[in-house]
Amino acid sequence: MYVFSTSQKRVSVELVGKNKVQEKLKNLCELTSASVSYTGVSSIGPRDELTNLVPNLRQLDLTGNLLSQWKDIFSLCEALASLEVLDLTNNTMEDDFTKSSSIKNIHVLVLNYCGVTWELVEKMKVPFSCLNELHLMTNRIKIIMTPVGNIVQGFDTLRLLNLEDNHIDSWDEILKLSYLRSLEQLHLNKNMLKHITYPSNPPLVGSLGDAAVVPFEKLRVLLLGSNQIDELLSIDSLNFFPSLTDVRLSDNPIADPAKGGVPRFVLIARLGKVKVLNGSEVSLRERREAEIRYVRLVMGKAESHDPEEIKRLHPRFAELKAFHGIEDEKPISRIAGPRKMASGLISITLKCVGPSMGEKQPLTKKLPPATTVGKLKSLCESFFKLKDIKLRLYVEEEGCPLPQFLEEDTASLMELGIGTGSTIIVDEES
C-alpha cells in the first residue's frame, strides 16, 4: 500500500492492527458496541439468531434506517438482554405502542427526528421503566399532554431529558416536568421560550405520594441556549432552583449586549449558585470580580436610591455589597490631601492592539472612577502617542471569549462597573 506525497512521490504505508480488528469482528459474541446506521434495516429478523450473534451488545446505533413498528423495537430489546443504549434517530416511528411488559435493560433511549409526540412518550413510561436518559430532539413536541392534571409523573429513574429544537414556546409546558423525581439535566436549547419562573404553587401534600414535594429538586443542568429570553426577571428566577449549578443562556437576547442584553459578569453576579455558565467554568476569582464590578455598576447607574426599588430591580445587590464590604462612594474632602485623593483612584491596565498603532507596551494607570469613556480615549491618545486615529475601547472579562465594547462615551468607569484590576483594550475603528 502507498499514498502520494505533495511532490507526487509514492510513500509506503503499513496497515497496523488489521488482523486484530478482523479477528475481533469475526468474534461477534464479544462485541459490546455496534453501528448499522443508514443501512436500510427494516426488521430485526429471527430473535434467536440475533441473541446468539451478539449476546453481549450494550450499545446499538440504528440511526437513519427503515424501522417504524414498536413491536420490532420490543423484540430487539428482549433479544439483546445486555443492551443498555439504543439510538433510533431518524427512524419514523408509528404510534402503535401497545406493549405493556417491562424492558428494564434499556437505560438510554434516543428518539431524535422520529416524529414522536408526547402522547407516545406517556405510553413509554411503563415498559421503559428504568430509563436514565431520554433524547427527543426535533420532534415538534410543542405541548406536553398529560393524562391526569398538569404534572408529568412516572419516569422515576430519568436523570436526563433532551427536548432541544421542539418549538416549545410556553414555560408552562416545562413546569409540567417539575416533579420528575430524579431529573438532573434538562436540555431546552433551540426552542422559543421567552420567560422562566420557578413553580410557586406545589401540588397538594401527598398528591405525588410524597409528603414533601420540591419542584425541580435535583435539577443541576438547565440548557436554555438559542431561545427568546429577554428579561432579567427570568434570570433572577433561576436562583430559586435548589440544585442548579450549570446554565446555558447563550444566543438569547438577554445575554447579548448588542441586542440590549447584559454581559457575562452581570449574569454571573445575578446567578449566585451557578458554577458553569454557557459551557465555561466560573472560577472563584471570576465570580468575585464579576460581583464587585456588578455592585459598582448598580451604584453608578441606579436611577433611584430607594432601597425597595433597588431590591426589586437588583435582588442580590445588598447581599453582594455587604459580602464584599463595598462602601458607598463619598466625596473626597479638599483638605484630605493627595494621599486621600489617591486612595479613591482605580488602577486599570491599558493594552494597545490596533494594527496601525505600532507595538506598544501595556500601561497601568490610576484614574478617578468618574473618568468617562470619551475622556479615557483622549488619555489613551496621549499615553500611547496616537495621532489621527479614532479609538474603540473594550473591557476584557475573565471567562468571556470576546471583550465587551464600551459604546457610551458619556458613561463613567464606575457606571460601567470597571474597577481596580480591570483591563481595557485600546483598538482603532475599522
Side-chain angles (χ1 to χ4, degrees), residues 336-344:
R339 183 176 298 177
K340 183 70 176 179
M341 178 74 76
S343 68

Side-chain angles (χ1 to χ4, degrees), residues 408-428:
E408 295 182 54
D409 279 1
T410 57
S412 69
L413 299 180
M414 181 181 178
E415 288 174 333
L416 295 170
I418 297 172
T420 293
S422 297
T423 298
I424 302 295
I425 304 296
V426 183
D427 199 358
E428 57 187 294

Side-chain angles (χ1 to χ4, degrees), residues 309-340:
E309 179 69 5
I310 291 178
K311 184 178 180 180
R312 184 182 68 81
L313 296 174
H314 307 279
R316 299 197 68 223
F317 171 72
E319 170 198 347
L320 294 177
K321 184 181 174 188
F323 179 78
H324 293 289
I326 300 173
E327 298 181 1
D328 291 324
E329 295 294 322
K330 298 176 182 178
I332 301 170
S333 171
R334 290 186 178 180
I335 61 172
R339 183 176 298 177
K340 183 70 176 179

